[in-house]
Amino acid sequence: MARIYVTREIVGEALSCLRALHEVEVWPGPGSPPRAALLAAVADADGLLAVLTERIDAELIEAAPRLRAIANYGVGYDNIDIEAARARGIAVGNTPDVLTEATADLAFALLLACARHLVEARAAVAAGHWGTWEPAGWLGLDVHGATLGIVGLGRIGRAVARRAAGFAMTVLATRATPLDELLERSDFVSLHCPLTPQTRHLIDASALARMKPTAILVNTARGGIVDQAALVEALWAGRIAGAALDVTDPEPPRPGDPLLAAPNLIVLPHIGSATRTARAEMTAVAVENLIAALDGRPMPHAVV
Ligand code: 8YV
């Protein structure tokens, strides 16, 4: 029987399968375990089930001499020092596929909401500012027939492209179209690449300057892909028409972060995979990864 530390209460039945086989401790919350508690908890752990808010770095790996398996609860794993895990022979797995459609749904919801001012319009109604029907009120952008640029045509990017086909959109993707050209031609730009040293601040001031002044940026990937200071400036200057972010850097933004005051911006609290089904399936995949690795088998969804 191995000892497994789970850094959050997670949804779904699958955790009971893990409990049947191993000794499982779950951080009770609220929020994530403080760093000191996490370092203490992994000291005698063989397996770790972590979410993106936990920094699994060389220090943590060193503090966990028995650790053999890390199951990340998510498809992105930029919170993990993969090289440090590899050097120690620790298996690392993620939860792809099961959250693809939920995340693509949210990307499209953000695109539509930003294009048609849904958030501001709803707030105006709630505040009693719906005077009368206005011919020139709340004018937004056409989504149907527009050009969508997808940065990162992986599983989620392709799922967004499938939705775009239903709206008769022209889809450009970084696989076939150079980024500069994609930014210049797109009415909507949606980010779906992982956060790596190469993609950090991929969307910086010069990238934003290439976008059409009528264009909208959607980010459901990782906050660090966008240079947020440059985005705030571009929004205030009207260099792009709007942005819709499910992810920020850091998460949440600190109180008083200029991002929160920027115009034509929607910010959501990282809910791309937040459907009951996706989250329960993520639990199942993370548990399968752990059980396999602790049993000496390859993880079904291994990244190391
Ligand atoms: C997860 C995500 O909810 O899968 C990812 O990479 O960003 C989200 O969908 C998150 O990672 C939970 O750890």
Side-chain angles (χ1 to χ4, degrees):
M1 195 177 249
R3 266 187 61 76
I4 294 165
Y5 189 67
V6 182
T7 65
R8 294 292 181 97
E9 298 274 8
I10 51 176
V11 296
E13 301 301 308
L15 211 55
S16 55
C17 305
L18 199 60
R19 284 205 167 93
L21 294 170
H22 298 293
E23 189 189 325
V24 177
E25 186 190 345
V26 181
W27 168 255
S32 40
R35 183 75 179 170
L38 180 59
L39 291 176
V42 296
D44 61 352
D46 305 286
L48 177 64
L49 199 162
V51 308
L52 84 167
T53 48
E54 271 66 78
R55 196 163 33 87
I56 314 296
D57 55 8
E59 181 197 31
L60 184 139
I61 286 171
E62 203 171 313
R66 287 169 47 169
L67 198 60
R68 287 186 281 140
I70 302 170
N72 210 40
Y73 190 70
V75 64
Y77 49 88
D78 46 285
N79 56 315
I80 301 180
D81 184 336
I82 293 297
E83 284 319 312
R86 202 194 304 274
R88 265 274 309 281
I90 299 173
V92 180
N94 66 346
T95 64
D97 303 323
V98 293
L99 47 67
T100 296
E101 303 298 337
T103 307
D105 282 351
L106 190 86
F108 227 84
L110 280 174
L111 187 156
L112 287 164
C114 201
R116 300 299 297 271
H117 307 300
L118 295 198
V119 175
E120 305 94 302
R122 192 262 168 213
V125 173
H129 296 156
W130 183 2
T132 177
W133 184 85
E134 292 287 351
W138 299 110
L139 300 184
L141 297 168
D142 284 322
V143 173
H144 72 272
T147 297
L148 170 64
I150 295 184
V151 179
L153 196 64
R155 284 174 286 250
I156 299 172
R158 289 196 301 273
V160 170
R162 287 197 293 278
R163 285 153 179 76
F167 283 74
M169 298 178 93
T170 299
V171 174
L172 306 174
T174 38
R175 199 176 275 177
T177 309
L179 179 63
D180 288 353
E181 185 187 335
L182 178 147
L183 295 169
E184 285 160 11
R185 288 175 54 197
S186 296
D187 301 304
F188 299 90
V189 173
S190 194
L191 306 180
H192 300 289
C193 53
L195 176 63
T196 64
Q198 291 71 39
T199 63
R200 180 168 290 281
H201 289 190
L202 181 70
I203 305 301
D204 59 5
S206 72
L208 290 161
R210 286 189 184 274
M211 289 175 65
K212 298 180 185 181
T214 49
I216 283 175
L217 176 70
V218 177
N219 188 6
T220 53
R222 284 293 181 268
I225 298 167
V226 176
D227 177 344
Q228 267 173 207
L231 175 63
V232 169
E233 219 185 292
L235 288 168
W236 280 111
R239 240 168 269 131
I240 63 170
L245 313 177
D246 183 42
V247 287
T248 61
D249 181 23
E251 288 182 4
R254 296 194 182 91
D257 187 324
L259 182 75
L260 298 173
N264 303 317
L265 176 70
I266 299 173
V267 181
L268 297 182
H270 200 147
I271 58 170
S273 66
T275 70
R276 287 180 210 289
T277 315
R279 288 282 163 86
E281 290 181 358
M282 286 163 68
T283 303
V285 173
V287 164
E288 281 171 29
N289 279 341
L290 275 178
I291 291 177
L294 293 171
D295 207 24
R297 290 179 286 116
M299 287 184 170
H301 293 286
V303 295
V304 172

